[in-house]
Amino acid sequence: MDCLFCKIVAGEIPSKKVYEDDAAYAFLDISPWQKGHTLVIPKRHTADVLEGDDVLAEVGPAVARVGRLLKDRLGADACNVVSNAGSVSGQEVFHTHVHVIPRYADNPGIANMKAEVTADLDEVHQTVVAD
Ligand code: 5GP
Ligand code: ZN
């Protein structure tokens, strides 16, 4: 199957990995809405979180881990946890993904979820994955 995120899971397309467990893989979004914007995806291909009863549960533990990691490492105050399911909702990649979007006190509120981010992706990645 010609799926971008399956290729990322397989390592055929590079990504900035943030976290991984048996069922899920997390990596920085290439076009972040906020500093540290991360996508959590199931390793198994499904189209969206509504496809089956268990899809959201597969990524649930990783979403929680990643949200806490981003708060700890980047000093985020909060996170938006969002999954677009279906093109009308804004979904553009049809492999299930949950956006974990760190939020900072100087730019609060749902209306500001999608902001201009100038932070360097490599620097953010180094900060998030630092030992
Ligand atoms: P959607 O609109 O489907 O909910 O979100 C898809 C997300 O995938 C977008 O935020 C977009 O920036 C991200 N994205 C698309 N292609 C790539 C890619 O090749 N690498 C990474 N890291 N993110 C991608
Ligand atoms: Zn896929």
Side-chain angles (χ1 to χ4, degrees), residues 3 6 45 95:
C3 170
C6 280
H45 180 90
H95 179 126

Side-chain angles (χ1 to χ4, degrees), residues 9 16 21 26 32 49 53 55 72 74 83-85 98-99 118 127:
V9 170
K16 296 190 192 308
D21 63 22
V49 285
D53 294 349
V55 177
D72 288 349
L74 297 176
S83 191
N84 299 325
V98 176
H99 298 258
T118 52
T127 307

Side-chain angles (χ1 to χ4, degrees), residues 37-105:
H37 182 168
T38 297
L39 301 174
V40 182
I41 67 177
K43 290 181 173 174
R44 173 177 85 97
H45 180 90
T46 49
D48 64 51
V49 285
L50 304 183
E51 185 175 300
D53 294 349
D54 51 353
V55 177
L56 194 52
E58 277 175 29
V59 292
V63 166
R65 287 282 186 95
V66 165
R68 294 196 297 267
L69 183 71
L70 296 173
K71 287 178 74 178
D72 288 349
R73 296 285 169 88
L74 297 176
D77 300 288
C79 286
N80 293 107
V81 177
V82 178
S83 191
N84 299 325
S87 57
V88 170
S89 72
Q91 186 176 9
E92 292 182 346
V93 178
F94 292 89
H95 179 126
T96 299
H97 51 282
V98 176
H99 298 258
V100 182
I101 305 162
R103 299 303 303 274
Y104 305 91

Side-chain angles (χ1 to χ4, degrees), residues 4-5 8 27-31 33 37 39 84 90-93 97 99:
L4 175 65
F5 286 177
I8 284 181
F27 56 104
L28 293 183
D29 194 296
I30 204 165
S31 181
W33 299 355
H37 182 168
L39 301 174
N84 299 325
Q91 186 176 9
E92 292 182 346
V93 178
H97 51 282
H99 298 258

